[in-house]
Structures are given as C-alpha cells and as structure tokens.
Amino acid sequence: MIKFKGKGVYGAIAIGDVSVFKRQDAQVRRTHVEDIQAEFKRFEAAKEVATQQLSQIYEKALKEVGETHAQIFEVHMMMLEDDDYNESIANLIETQSVNAEYAVASTADNFAAMFAAMDDTYMQARAADVKDISNRLIACLTNAGSASNDSSDKMIVCADDLAPSETVSLDKERVLAFVTAFGSSNSHTAILARNMNIPAVISVGEEFLKSVKDGDRIIVDGHTGDIIVSPDADTEAKYAKKQAEDKRKKELLQELKGKDNVTLDGARVNIYANIGGVDGIGAVLANDAGGIGLFRSEFLYLESEDYPTEEQQFLAYRKVLESMAGKTVIIRTLDIGADKQIDYFKLDKEENPALGFRAIRICLTRPEIFRTQLRALYRASAYGKLGIMFPMITSVSEVEQILAICEGIKAELKGEGIPYDEKTEVGIMIETPAAAVISDKLAPLVDFFSVGTNDLTQYTLACDRQNAKLEPFCDTHHEAVLRLIEMSAQNAHKHGAWIGICGELAADLTLTETFLRMGIDELSVSAPFVLPLRDTVRKLDLKA
Ligand code: PEP
Ligand code: MG
C-alpha cells in the first residue's frame, strides 16, 4: 500500500483499476524531404483533419460542460489558422527541407517557450494550448489518431498532466476518476473536471507515475486529495463505506430541494449561487439556489476579442434574468485588472497588480466602458429582479460618483423611452478593509453589501491570493477578517441595508453558525454547495 497526496479538484471517492494514460507522444524525427510541395500538401491535409477533430471535441464539450468551457476548443481551431504559426511551419519545411512533423514540433517548442516567457498569466497558459494543437497535428500527420486507452472497463486514468482536449475526449462513461502528477487547480483541465463531475486529484507529484501501472488497484479521494495505491482489504473496505456514505448524503441532499433555508429556531437566510457565465444557470437551477448572489460579468469581456457592445451585454444579462424567472440576480460590474488581464484594455504592467488599477478604478477612469455596461444592465432590469453590485470600493466618493452615473443612465433611458426597473437594487462589495471600516458611511448610500472574503482576506492579512507559498500565513478564519464582516453587518442593518457574503468563505460550513449569528442575510456559494449549506442551516439552533 503506497500513499500519495495531491489536490482534490472534485470531491468524490473512486475505487478502481489504474489505466495509465497513453499519449501517442510524437516521437518526431527530422527527415530530409525532396518534394517540398508534397510536404505542404501533407501538412494542409493534416490541418483539415485536426480541425474536424477539434470541431467534434467542441460539440462534445458544448453538451457536457457548456459554452464557456467549450470555447477553448474554438480558440484551438483559431490557433491552427494563426498566420505566424503557419508561416513558421511553412518556412521550416521550405528553407530546411524538413518533414512537416519536425516543422510542427519545432514551431510548437518555439511558440510554447515564447508564451511561457510572457508576463501575462493568460498568455503563459497559451503555451499548453499551442503544444496541444501541435501534438494533434503531428498525430494526424503520422496517422496516430488521438490519444486513447483500449480497455472497455471503467478505469481511473493516471497521467502526467491532461490537456483540455484530452480531458474532454475522455469517455465519461468509462472514467471513474483521474489523477495527474502535475497541473494546477485553476487550470482549464481542473475546471473541466469539476464541470464534468469526474472525481479528480491533481498535482500528486512525479513519483506517483513511477509507482503505478495498468491494472493496479487504486483509491482516489477527491475530498482530501489522498491517493492510495494497492490498498489492503481493510483500507478498501473503509473507503467503500465512505463512498457509500457520500452517495447516501448526496441522495439525502436532493430531498432538501424546495425546502426553506431556516434554522431550528426560525432564523432565515437566503442561499444564492455564484456564476461566471450564462451557462452556469443550469447548475444554479438544478441545485435549487434561491437566486444568483454574484454573477462575475468579466467573463463577457474575457471571452471577447474586443469590448462587448451594449447589445451583446444586454442579451446576456437578459438571458440570465429571464432564466431565473423573477428570482434575485446580482450582477457585478466589470472586475478586471490584478489576476484578470484583457489585452484589448491595454492596461499598463504594474509592480503590484492586486493593489493596482483594477475593477471600479478602471470603470471610473474610463466612463465609456462603464456607461456601456450600466446601460445594458438597466435595460436588462426590465426582465427580472436585478441587483447591480460594484467591486473594490474603498471610499464614499467612489459610491457617490457611481450613483450619479447610474442616475444619469436612468434619465437617459427614460428620455429614450426604454423600459427599466426603478426598483433595481444597488450594492457594493465589501472586499477592502477600508470599505468595512467606513461601512457606517457607505450603508446609507446603498441597498446592500456583499462581502468578498477572497479579497477582504488578501488585503486584511497582506497575503497575495495568487501566491501559494503564503497559504500557511493566510488564516481564512482570522479574527481580523471576521470582525470586519461583523462590523459591516451591524452597520448595514443600522441603515436598513441587507448584507450577504459571496466570497469562498460563504461555503465554509464551519463558519455558517458564526455568520448567521452576525446577522448575515444571504450566502452565495458555487452551485454544488447550495444543498450542503441548506442542510447545515436547517440543523442549527441559534437559541441553544
Ligand atoms: C471576493 O473577492 O471574495 C470575490 C467574490 O470576488 P473575486 O473572487 O471575483 O475577486
Ligand atoms: Mg474580489
């Protein structure tokens, strides 16, 4: 029995046999070609096949994980057509008389190295994509087909890492779980696994792959990140019991659908869900969330090649509001900068991006962007129950400026005869210590607060949330953060505003009682946490 530890990406337990992922890793050899034109033709033919494969993968992803996540394969198809990439391959074939496989492999190495060296984290991540499409092209050139495993039994796929296209190509019916030696929890692969509901543990380390072979028995605990290779009978029985309990718990939670979020002593709390795109609505409805507490609107900008127009935004917001059929939908205005960079915004490189030009600071400096989004939001407000929320607030004057712009937009729409909902609520995120400390001054200006604990923790404890090394210093239950939340709750209520929490801490069930005792009115969590949270709330007795 050998134990390993990685990061759980999707919380569930799997017990089964190992299938080591066999990638037709292109053993590319450089050969001399005489007929350059014939080589060009081979390359073009391979590109056509690769494009067809990608389009099938895109369709599969669309069905299984939704449009937002499927779009990466559209990006791959675009990369295959990229002029610089194609010119580099053609040049190598022509000037060095080399085979197309070799030209593709060297271009891939060069481009991947170039992307990896960029400062922008989004561009760095493109290195994996360029390798992914190039491996596909090489497989097409050598007729190797796509990576596959032959077994027809259900298996636990173990790999060094999986590219997004490899993850989506896995046959969900035959994969019990997957384990990778490398990878990060924010990679596309991890996000896809979560959305495909496949138990997964990543970043288990290099030794792991040396210790497993096809057919080995293995246990994967996606909750804890524990991996047990060749478990003894007692351990396997223990995990089988845990797995059965998990299943029973999940079934029991289903019975909570339609029930109230009310404690034993009658206190109520709204449980809403967070989404990052229109395709998140399915999970929100399936998990019976009472509304959407945070719609991170930046996805519209991140997925676009240029500033999304008022009409494009209006259609997206309207769709969310209509799908939620009168339930509250809180849409947060653009929050880019820091870890979310967008090329066409042409933001300057900064020494301390988390403390830099981000979110509301960009919107107030570039009002044309802000006004377009606000017009789209107010127009959409006529189609449901909208709340508009502003990120990264630090001062009263920012809120006053925002409110004046909102009033201007409403007057404009009225003048144009365009309907909007006068009752649209306006709120701010409490995610800087400054906002929490002056929450007594901010509360009278708005309808609600929503605490962004991810940033509030980062700024209060001076711990960069992107820096994994700081985890030991970043106590998410730190008294300073909890006091700031409590202070904000008291000030909100004193001035007739309501207060929710939409950061990750809202899903921390060990804090639910603390939050309810503070008087938090709403908790917004990712959709799979709605029913576990409801379960916790219903078992609490605040009078005990
Ligand atoms: C937060 O900071 O807690 C939050 C919800 O916003 P984001 O994670 O998008 O910064
Ligand atoms: Mg934030």
Side-chain angles (χ1 to χ4, degrees):
M1 190 157 92
I2 320 173
K3 292 187 184 177
F4 293 91
K5 182 108 184 153
K7 288 185 198 150
V9 165
Y10 178 74
I13 290 168
I15 305 172
D17 294 338
V18 166
S19 170
V20 177
F21 189 71
K22 295 173 194 74
R23 185 175 290 120
Q24 259 84 23
D25 241 348
Q27 292 291 331
V28 176
R29 284 181 42 215
R30 179 183 174 129
T31 54
H32 179 82
V33 294
E34 293 294 336
D35 188 345
I36 303 287
Q37 290 312 318
E39 208 55 21
F40 282 157
K41 277 200 191 128
R42 275 186 72 229
F43 171 63
E44 286 305 325
K47 210 166 84 180
E48 210 166 292
V49 177
T51 307
Q52 277 166 12
Q53 288 176 354
L54 281 169
S55 137
Q56 282 163 8
I57 293 174
Y58 172 76
E59 294 300 327
K60 185 168 187 277
L62 204 57
K63 278 197 217 107
E64 290 182 359
V65 293
E67 196 179 344
T68 308
H69 301 299
Q71 274 173 348
I72 183 70
F73 304 111
E74 275 193 323
V75 173
H76 281 194
M77 284 188 264
M78 272 154 46
M79 285 171 101
L80 269 184
E81 295 304 327
D82 180 76
D83 285 345
D84 292 339
Y85 180 75
N86 281 286
E87 267 165 31
S88 162
I89 293 166
N91 268 339
L92 282 166
I93 296 176
E94 190 165 8
T95 57
Q96 300 190 29
S97 303
V98 289
N99 51 330
E101 290 87 334
Y102 181 81
V104 172
S106 340
T107 300
D109 285 347
N110 293 340
F111 275 58
M114 180 183 80
F115 282 131
M118 289 184 178
D119 288 332
D120 183 324
T121 47
Y122 176 84
M123 293 313 285
Q124 284 170 3
R126 301 283 73 76
D129 294 319
V130 87
K131 282 206 173 138
D132 195 5
I133 60 157
S134 303
N135 282 340
R136 180 169 298 284
L137 268 177
I138 294 167
C140 293
L141 280 161
T142 52
N143 288 326
S146 57
S148 70
N149 287 67
D150 310 325
S151 158
S152 58
D153 294 330
K154 285 201 166 206
M155 58 211 175
I156 294 180
V157 176
C158 300
D160 48 357
D161 200 357
L162 288 170
S165 66
E166 289 170 337
T167 312
V168 169
S169 300
L170 294 174
D171 182 352
K172 249 170 84 172
E173 303 309 313
R174 286 172 45 201
V175 175
L176 284 174
F178 72 74
V179 185
T180 64
F182 307 106
S184 85
S185 42
N186 288 323
S187 64
H188 270 115
T189 302
I191 294 168
L192 286 169
R194 261 179 232 128
N195 283 278
M196 289 166 80
N197 297 344
I198 297 180
V201 174
I202 58 161
S203 196
V204 182
E206 216 166 346
E207 272 308 301
F208 166 71
L209 274 187
K210 293 186 196 146
S211 313
V212 289
K213 57 180 185 323
D214 281 345
D216 280 350
R217 198 77 180 150
I218 183 175
I219 297 173
V220 178
D221 185 339
H223 300 286
T224 58
D226 286 323
I227 303 288
I228 301 166
V229 181
S230 310
D232 57 33
D234 281 355
T235 308
E236 182 160 340
K238 191 180 101 193
Y239 273 92
K241 204 165 145 223
K242 239 175 133 183
Q243 194 181 31
E245 273 165 23
D246 257 15
K247 198 164 162 244
R248 232 183 352 264
K249 262 195 219 153
K250 278 195 180 135
E251 281 161 9
L252 276 177
L253 285 176
Q254 295 304 308
E255 290 174 13
L256 289 178
K257 285 189 185 171
K259 300 246 165 84
D260 286 337
N261 308 310
V262 58
T263 60
L264 293 171
D265 56 307
R268 276 171 196 278
V269 61
N270 284 322
I271 301 184
Y272 292 171
N274 296 345
I275 58 170
V278 179
D279 54 3
I281 298 169
V284 172
L285 297 173
N287 287 283
D288 195 32
I292 291 174
L294 168 64
F295 176 12
R296 291 178 162 100
S297 71
E298 47 278 6
F299 94 96
L300 275 173
Y301 297 79
L302 285 161
E303 288 173 356
S304 188
E305 301 266 290
D306 204 344
Y307 298 100
T309 62
E310 178 183 319
E311 193 62 18
Q312 283 167 336
Q313 295 192 53
F314 162 68
L315 292 174
Y317 304 147
R318 187 178 78 181
K319 189 161 178 195
V320 178
L321 283 156
E322 284 181 338
S323 310
M324 291 304 288
K327 288 183 175 160
T328 297
V329 175
I330 294 172
I331 302 183
R332 178 178 73 185
T333 58
L334 180 63
D335 182 5
I336 61 148
D339 55 320
K340 296 176 212 143
Q341 292 292 335
I342 302 177
D343 280 353
Y344 59 83
F345 272 74
K346 301 204 166 38
L347 299 175
D348 294 335
K349 190 174 156 3
E350 297 180 320
E351 286 297 318
N352 288 307
L355 301 180
F357 191 53
R358 62 172 288 199
I360 202 67
R361 300 169 181 185
I362 298 177
C363 289
L364 289 175
T365 315
R366 297 173 62 178
E368 69 292 352
I369 298 173
F370 197 32
R371 287 176 42 78
T372 304
Q373 181 167 36
L374 286 172
R375 273 185 65 96
L377 284 166
Y378 274 107
R379 280 175 60 194
S381 71
Y383 297 85
K385 191 165 176 225
L386 176 67
I388 305 178
M389 176 157 80
F390 302 96
M392 276 295 287
I393 297 297
T394 56
S395 72
V396 168
S397 90
E398 283 163 354
V399 180
E400 285 171 346
Q401 285 178 65
I402 291 166
L403 295 178
I405 298 172
C406 288
E407 287 310 311
I409 300 279
K410 287 195 277 182
E412 224 171 77
L413 292 177
K414 202 176 258 171
E416 293 166 30
I418 298 175
Y420 67 90
D421 183 6
E422 255 313 330
K423 294 193 295 298
T424 302
E425 290 199 324
V426 171
I428 55 170
M429 292 199 63
I430 300 290
E431 54 183 347
T432 64
V437 171
I438 59 161
S439 51
D440 58 330
K441 300 241 169 73
L442 297 171
L445 303 175
V446 295
D447 299 302
F448 66 91
F449 285 161
S450 186
V451 184
T453 51
N454 310 335
D455 278 317
L456 187 62
T457 308
Q458 146 165 280
Y459 296 126
T460 307
L461 304 184
C463 278
D464 178 355
R465 66 193 263 194
Q466 296 293 107
N467 188 342
K469 263 199 227 129
L470 297 180
E471 247 160 67
F473 302 96
C474 184
D475 172 11
T476 54
H477 291 202
H478 198 293
E479 194 184 342
V481 178
L482 296 178
R483 280 202 212 173
L484 290 174
I485 299 174
E486 185 166 33
M487 185 195 292
S488 306
Q490 285 168 355
N491 285 326
H493 291 153
K494 227 182 266 169
H495 295 280
W498 61 266
I499 179 164
I501 300 179
C502 64
E504 293 303 305
L505 221 51
D508 184 334
L509 303 181
T510 65
L511 284 176
T512 311
E513 178 168 357
T514 307
F515 291 148
L516 294 199
R517 286 189 186 279
M518 286 179 185
I520 296 296
D521 303 291
E522 175 248 14
L523 293 164
S524 191
V525 294
S526 59
F529 283 93
V530 168
L531 293 175
L533 184 54
R534 177 171 299 165
D535 187 40
T536 304
V537 167
R538 290 171 64 86
K539 287 177 179 150
L540 287 176
D541 185 351
L542 303 179
K543 297 241 165 77

